[in-house]
Amino acid sequence: MPVAKKEEKKLSISYWSKEQMNCPICKKKFDREIMRSGNGRMIAGPLTPELHRQFEPSAKFGRVYPLIYEIGCCPHCYSAFFWNDFKEKFSNDLADRLYESAMERKEKCNVIFPYFNLKKERTLFDGTAMYYLALMTYDMCPPEFIPTLKKAMICLRLAWLCNDINLQCHGYNYDTVSQMFYRKALFFYQQAIINETNRTEKSSALANMGPDMDKNYGWDGVIYLCGLLEYKYGQQEDIQLRLKKLNESKVAIARIFGLGKSSKSKPGPLLEHARELYDNISKLVADDEF
């Protein structure tokens, strides 16, 4: 029996931290689940043009989803944040509003992720639901939390995770939900840049801009993703507006990445993807203009 327990621990994906988390909203404690590292759990695969690190399934652990452990959610009041934000100071007014809207968040989450569970080891489905709860939580947070850029990252990750759910379980429209979150991500990334320009929210001050968890691509990554999402998911009803936005994206990408010049300071993969995006936008704009 002890040998079996040791083997079970060895093969587990996650563990429960000895220290409980204190929810700053309802003041109750809850357990924190942490993903284990090493021993072949995370086999890094390719980096997609969306700067999403894919992981290969292993014979021992199967397919793992490290992203789902990056969000914490209080099972008592359904307030969800990136883990570091649980340590932030919340005004009494904000805490009260988040507490009073707890059931509203739960009900809205149940519409897209029915029967999600916050009190057991998280699955892909439960972890994705936590991101949606976080999206609704940050929607109520003031500018000092830099909520717009966080919502952009959350929506992009939701798009990835919903696509993963769809690959596991066809026929429940999670591919459509994924597309919805891509469009939301585009809106929030664009708004984060507007807020930074207008100095209404210090988007560029966010310590880790992801968008994934394996590397921080910083503000350059934000500019790039804004252009990529516009190219892939921007509206197509108003062609003139689309061409205008694509041209703006092309100029921003060229300016940020110094395309056509040597740019040793920029991360290699990001620079390569930026060059490809610049070429794709240039071709699309040229084709649409004639």
Side-chain angles (χ1 to χ4, degrees):
M1 186 67 71
V3 175
K5 285 185 177 180
K6 184 176 180 180
E7 182 66 17
E8 181 182 346
K9 180 179 180 180
K10 183 180 177 182
L11 293 177
S12 64
I13 299 295
S14 63
Y15 66 96
W16 298 102
S17 173
K18 293 181 180 179
E19 294 185 11
Q20 288 188 307
M21 296 295 297
N22 290 308
C23 177
I25 307 306
C26 68
K27 313 305 180 184
K28 294 181 180 178
K29 293 182 180 293
F30 66 96
D31 294 320
R32 176 176 180 177
E33 186 182 7
I34 302 174
M35 182 177 174
R36 296 182 183 278
S37 60
N39 203 19
R41 288 177 177 83
M42 295 168 62
I43 304 175
L47 182 73
T48 72
E50 295 169 6
L51 307 181
H52 177 32
R53 176 65 65 191
Q54 296 181 322
F55 291 91
E56 304 293 341
S58 68
K60 187 183 294 185
F61 299 99
R63 190 173 294 279
V64 298
Y65 302 95
L67 271 181
I68 66 175
Y69 301 95
E70 295 293 295
I71 289 287
C73 184
C74 174
H76 307 292
C77 69
Y78 305 98
S79 299
F81 305 95
F82 288 104
W83 286 111
N84 285 339
D85 281 343
F86 279 94
K87 302 173 185 177
E88 292 293 328
K89 293 182 178 180
F90 290 77
S91 67
N92 291 335
D93 177 64
L94 176 58
D96 288 344
R97 287 189 290 113
L98 284 170
Y99 184 76
E100 290 166 2
S101 59
M103 289 302 104
E104 181 181 354
R105 282 192 297 280
K106 179 185 178 183
E107 290 168 5
K108 286 183 177 179
C109 193
N110 265 323
V111 173
I112 304 178
F113 305 101
Y115 311 113
F116 68 91
N117 193 316
L118 303 180
K119 296 183 179 180
K120 63 178 180 62
E121 292 181 351
R122 66 189 74 186
T123 63
L124 170 62
F125 188 82
D126 299 325
T128 308
M130 292 185 197
Y131 271 96
Y132 188 47
L133 288 166
L135 179 63
M136 291 185 282
T137 304
Y138 281 113
D139 207 34
M140 301 180 67
C141 291
E144 54 263 33
F145 281 79
I146 318 180
T148 306
L149 187 50
K150 289 175 183 176
K151 288 188 287 185
M153 290 171 55
I154 287 169
C155 284
L156 188 54
R157 292 181 180 188
L158 274 165
W160 297 337
L161 292 169
C162 285
N163 185 58
D164 289 331
I165 292 174
N166 185 64
L167 291 174
Q168 282 197 10
C169 190
H170 292 289
Y172 290 90
N173 298 319
Y174 281 100
D175 52 342
T176 302
V177 176
S178 176
Q179 294 295 307
M180 175 190 74
F181 283 123
Y182 272 123
R183 291 190 292 273
K184 283 182 174 288
L186 169 59
F187 170 79
F188 285 123
Y189 271 112
Q190 290 179 338
Q191 191 61 48
I193 292 177
I194 291 171
N195 291 349
E196 174 75 13
T197 303
N198 295 339
R199 299 184 179 181
T200 56
E201 191 175 322
K202 296 180 180 179
S203 302
S204 63
L206 187 62
N208 192 335
M209 302 179 198
D212 211 328
M213 57 172 284
D214 71 321
K215 187 173 179 61
N216 177 17
Y217 285 97
W219 192 248
D220 289 345
V222 170
I223 299 296
Y224 164 77
L225 284 168
C226 218
L228 179 70
L229 293 171
E230 181 63 49
Y231 171 70
K232 294 178 68 175
Y233 304 104
Q235 63 83 28
Q236 300 192 30
E237 289 77 20
D238 187 334
I239 299 301
Q240 291 303 315
L241 178 60
R242 176 164 171 77
L243 289 173
K244 179 177 180 292
K245 285 183 172 292
L246 287 172
N247 271 309
E248 289 173 353
S249 295
K250 188 176 76 167
V251 171
I253 291 167
R255 184 185 301 120
I256 289 291
F257 295 97
L259 300 184
K261 305 175 183 178
S262 60
S263 184
K264 296 180 180 179
S265 64
K266 305 295 181 184
L270 181 55
L271 186 57
E272 291 171 13
H273 285 307
R275 284 198 179 105
E276 183 178 357
L277 176 61
Y278 181 89
D279 291 341
N280 288 338
I281 291 177
S282 297
K283 183 177 184 303
L284 181 62
V285 170
D287 289 345
D288 283 344
E289 285 178 342
F290 293 98

